[in-house]
Amino acid sequence: MRTTEETEGFDGEASNTSMISGASSPYQPTTEPVHSRNVLGGIRCDMEYLKSYFGILKAVEVVLSLIGFICIETIMMCSPCGGVYFFEFVSCSAFVVTGVLLFIFSLNLHTKVPHVNWSLTDLVNTAASTFFFFLSSLVLACINHNTGAEIAAVIFGFLVTGVYGVNTFLAVRRWRRGNGCQGPAQTSEYMRARTASRGEMEARPELG
């Protein structure tokens, strides 16, 4: 049987070994606080987007929609009011939706949600706004009381319709270009993976 002195000697050696291995280990415990991931990190104003065709068109659409909405809101009396209410709804909706998209794109927030097809979302918004602004402006032009506010609303309505039309044309081109490049890109990635796998098999014939 081991004596008490031998047991104490082994315990001392084990303790010294543990201290040495702990000191030399690269995985040392730390008392530094673990910071939570900043979800809003990396948000910045994308000046390149604001200076691009899409950014400028979005800003013009927001301004013209707001002016049209203000013009239609200054009308105090109307009979019938169907055209006024329709134009009011379209201009307000376009101002809000386009303003939100401008805010998202200008701050690069769309990169935080990559599973959404933002090109298609922008295309749907611009196409719908073009159609409904044209329709509401046409209705208001046919049914109005020739007041200054109604005439101004019709003018700004057709102006913003033209801007939305140009934006829709550019959005369609961008969406088609993106879908056209997606297929060849996937094929290229597949061929690159096959080439790399074939190279591994040739370098290690025992796997064959």
Side-chain angles (χ1 to χ4, degrees), residues 112-124:
K112 307 293 182 181
V113 192
H115 59 274
V116 176
N117 191 336
W118 291 104
S119 297
L120 182 59
T121 302
D122 184 39
L123 173 59
V124 171

Side-chain angles (χ1 to χ4, degrees), residues 92-103:
C92 181
S93 301
F95 168 73
V96 172
V97 176
T98 306
V100 170
L101 288 177
L102 177 61
F103 179 78

Side-chain angles (χ1 to χ4, degrees), residues 134-156:
F134 176 76
L135 185 61
S136 62
S137 300
L138 186 62
V139 171
L140 186 61
C142 296
I143 306 175
N144 66 78
H145 303 85
N146 293 325
T147 62
E150 289 174 323
I151 294 174
V154 170
I155 293 174
F156 282 107

Side-chain angles (χ1 to χ4, degrees), residues 62-158:
V62 170
V63 172
L64 292 180
S65 299
L66 178 60
I67 295 176
F69 178 73
I70 293 174
C71 290
I72 208 69
E73 283 296 306
T74 58
I75 299 176
M76 298 299 173
M77 298 181 61
C78 60
S79 179
C81 299
V84 173
Y85 291 155
F86 185 32
F87 188 91
E88 178 184 15
F89 172 76
V90 171
S91 59
C92 181
S93 301
F95 168 73
V96 172
V97 176
T98 306
V100 170
L101 288 177
L102 177 61
F103 179 78
I104 291 174
F105 292 145
S106 61
L107 294 182
N108 281 326
L109 296 178
H110 61 288
T111 59
K112 307 293 182 181
V113 192
H115 59 274
V116 176
N117 191 336
W118 291 104
S119 297
L120 182 59
T121 302
D122 184 39
L123 173 59
V124 171
N125 172 65
T126 53
S129 298
T130 303
F131 173 76
F132 285 110
F133 250 122
F134 176 76
L135 185 61
S136 62
S137 300
L138 186 62
V139 171
L140 186 61
C142 296
I143 306 175
N144 66 78
H145 303 85
N146 293 325
T147 62
E150 289 174 323
I151 294 174
V154 170
I155 293 174
F156 282 107
F158 282 117

Side-chain angles (χ1 to χ4, degrees), residues 117 174-189:
N117 191 336
R174 180 179 61 180
W175 179 67
R176 286 182 175 177
R177 192 185 312 120
N179 282 353
C181 294
Q182 186 177 3
Q186 290 180 350
T187 304
S188 177
E189 289 293 334

